Amino acid sequence: MSLNILIVGAGVCGPALATLLMHADPGHNITVVERAPSLRVAGQQLDVKAQGLPILKKMGMYDNIKSLLVAETGLQFVDTRGHSVAEFGVTTNGKRNYSLSTDREIMRNDLVNMLYEASLKRRREINHLAGSGKARGSLKYEFGNSITELSQDDNGVDVKFSSGESGRYSLVVAADGQGSRTRRLAWGAEASAAAFHSLGIHAAYYSIPRAEGEGGMAKWFNAPGSRSILMRNGDRPMTQVYLFARQNAGLLRQAYKEPVARQKEAFRQVFAGAGWDTDRYLRGMDECNDFYAHEIGQIKIDPLYKGRVVLVGDAGYCPAPFTGMGTTLSLIGAYVLAGELARHKGDIGSALKAYSEVIRPPVDEYQWLAPSLLSGMFPSSKLGVWLLQNAAWVLSSLKVDQLIHKVLPAEGSDGRWPIPEYPELNLPAC
């Protein structure tokens, strides 16, 4: 029943899946390949909410998460002079999320490191329990390596790597993100491209040194031309900058095909003269080393497997950053896939079919976005910006966010998709 498994991607999903698989069966031979030369620890804040936190609890990581949370105190809408127009607090105490900021924010690097170290720790435990005898199974990470070709039959998948090596695996798991190369190789370029559904918004993310006086409040700024800037730092020494644009799509799409310097220049052109602290953020962009830009969209594909290649996390069902559910869906996906593989005891075909069916309800729920939300958050004119700011001021003045927070049901008490129980996973907290 032990399998030879290749996981592509060492972000949130890959190490979480590796850990869960080793709890279920220490005899699995697991290889995780990551095309980056080392663990990718750059990135912005992530939300751990809904089913994500209980899954981490089941894995015995609750205390680790609590010690790493970012102390963000809410969100301010600001005008071109930086003055606060409206303020909204965080969603707390396990309530169903409705706001940008929650009390369970964590930096991506902290979460990825935690999951990576957990997988290594689990492997050490297995080896220790074997004593002087040879432990069954294995776990290895290969950085600076990626898939270049794959072909499969009824019994396995043959894979060629950029390193020049090749291997045969019982199962290949694509956990390599929205632009998954593994999905493109297995499904074909046309089907893979068709799975991407653009939301018409382009984004750049990076970090700059924190300025004096920047506190725990995130700040949201709108400028005419459907441009928005989000700044957040919580209690951290670096300020996270998010640039969002709904216009100049042609310029930005072309830039994604070019070096990072050209991408920065394209965003500089789009945001020139936007107001507020934009000049500081654009200067900081020139000097940052964690810049990342892309077109925001959702990945929709069904079923989530083809033969013995399966999609997990953003590679199969990216919900888009505005839902705040990407991390949660990645953890759900890793948990359900590992659970179904354990439950079906080596019957990979049945396990993948069950995984694709079980995970569909939370995917459909968390990919839902109100069309009016996106258009309303990115007004194109000065009048539109003025209307949005005044609407935010009214809601803040009436303390609507506090009222909503009081009446919101706790997560899991309102019919939300229940986490399946998989005793076959042999998790420490179950």
Side-chain angles (χ1 to χ4, degrees):
M1 291 185 291
S2 298
L3 303 173
N4 188 23
I5 300 172
L6 174 66
I7 300 174
V8 185
V12 170
C13 205
L17 177 61
T19 303
L20 290 161
L21 289 169
M22 287 186 288
H23 277 291
D25 185 348
H28 289 317
N29 291 296
I30 302 168
T31 301
V32 184
V33 294
E34 168 57 57
R35 65 188 180 94
S38 60
L39 200 65
R40 295 190 188 200
V41 295
Q44 313 299 317
Q45 279 177 226
L46 303 175
D47 294 326
V48 181
K49 56 192 176 188
Q51 294 89 349
L53 191 59
I55 288 172
L56 290 174
K57 285 182 178 179
K58 288 175 179 291
M59 296 172 69
M61 298 184 185
Y62 182 65
D63 289 338
N64 305 63
I65 283 288
K66 287 197 300 181
S67 67
L68 296 171
L69 294 178
V70 176
E72 189 167 85
T73 56
L75 170 69
Q76 286 181 336
F77 280 74
V78 298
D79 61 20
T80 190
R81 295 169 297 175
H83 295 166
S84 177
V85 174
E87 293 188 5
F88 301 94
V90 297
T91 301
T92 60
N93 301 324
K95 295 286 188 176
R96 171 174 264 204
N97 185 56
Y98 69 92
S99 66
L100 172 84
S101 187
T102 75
D103 64 342
R104 285 156 295 168
E105 304 274 344
I106 185 172
M107 297 302 297
R108 182 185 182 278
N109 66 309
D110 288 334
L111 181 59
V112 170
N113 266 318
M114 183 189 74
L115 293 168
Y116 171 69
E117 292 296 336
S119 68
L120 298 179
K121 178 183 177 183
R122 178 56 188 157
R123 190 63 238 177
R124 290 194 298 269
E125 291 171 347
I126 293 169
N127 294 339
H128 177 73
L129 290 172
S132 59
K134 181 174 175 57
R136 294 170 53 244
S138 63
L139 169 68
K140 62 178 178 178
Y141 283 85
E142 295 183 1
F143 294 98
N145 201 6
S146 61
I147 291 181
T148 57
E149 295 180 36
L150 61 79
S151 60
Q152 56 179 315
D153 53 40
D154 292 340
N155 298 312
V157 187
D158 293 305
V159 177
K160 291 184 179 179
F161 297 96
S162 59
S163 64
E165 298 180 347
S166 60
R168 183 170 175 82
Y169 300 90
S170 312
L171 176 67
V172 173
V173 181
D176 48 350
Q178 172 183 304
S180 172
R181 295 183 178 186
T182 313
R183 185 182 67 231
R184 186 166 65 248
L185 288 171
W187 271 258
E190 185 176 347
S192 180
F196 177 74
H197 297 259
S198 175
L199 296 181
I201 300 170
H202 297 260
Y205 318 90
Y206 57 96
S207 301
I208 64 175
R210 178 173 179 159
E212 184 178 353
E214 285 183 335
M217 274 274 184
K219 295 182 180 180
W220 181 276
F221 170 73
N222 288 96
S226 300
R227 298 171 294 176
S228 298
I229 300 175
L230 172 64
M231 179 281 291
R232 62 199 313 186
N233 52 28
D235 56 351
R236 303 306 164 99
M238 299 295 286
T239 290
Q240 305 160 57
V241 180
Y242 305 64
L243 306 180
F244 299 111
R246 292 198 74 184
Q247 297 183 13
N248 300 286
L251 170 67
L252 295 172
R253 284 197 188 105
Q254 178 59 37
Y256 300 145
K257 304 174 185 178
E258 301 179 24
V260 168
R262 175 62 190 124
Q263 296 176 36
K264 291 182 178 181
E265 176 59 30
F267 273 90
R268 188 181 299 106
Q269 291 181 41
V270 171
F271 279 84
W276 186 39
D277 278 346
T278 303
D279 288 346
R280 175 195 161 210
Y281 297 146
L282 295 182
R283 288 195 302 270
M285 181 176 66
D286 291 335
E287 301 173 2
C288 75
N289 57 11
D290 61 348
F291 180 90
Y292 174 70
H294 71 140
E295 182 172 2
I296 293 177
Q298 297 183 323
I299 298 297
K300 297 184 178 183
I301 193 166
D302 191 34
L304 293 166
Y305 63 98
K306 188 169 186 178
R308 290 188 172 223
V309 180
V310 60
L311 307 173
V312 182
D314 282 356
Y317 32 85
C318 174
F322 299 112
T323 66
M325 301 307 296
T327 304
T328 292
L329 275 180
S330 290
L331 292 170
I332 290 174
Y335 175 78
V336 172
L337 178 58
E340 294 299 336
L341 287 169
R343 179 160 292 174
H344 288 84
K345 303 183 185 302
D347 184 348
I348 293 176
S350 296
L352 298 186
K353 182 174 185 294
Y355 158 73
S356 191
E357 293 172 350
V358 170
I359 201 173
R360 182 52 53 187
V363 168
D364 290 343
E365 178 180 357
Y366 294 144
Q367 285 194 326
W368 183 85
L369 275 170
S372 59
L373 174 65
L374 296 183
S375 60
M377 288 299 291
F378 299 94
S380 60
S381 65
K382 289 184 178 179
L383 176 61
V385 171
W386 182 85
L387 290 172
L388 173 61
Q389 290 179 343
N390 278 271
W393 176 81
V394 170
L395 294 174
S396 175
S397 298
L398 296 176
K399 302 187 183 301
V400 171
D401 61 319
Q402 296 181 24
L403 176 62
I404 292 175
H405 178 73
K406 289 179 180 178
V407 301
L408 278 177
E411 291 175 346
S413 65
D414 56 343
R416 175 172 280 183
W417 181 78
I419 302 172
E421 294 297 331
Y422 293 111
E424 299 90 345
L425 286 176
N426 305 312
L427 294 177
C430 291

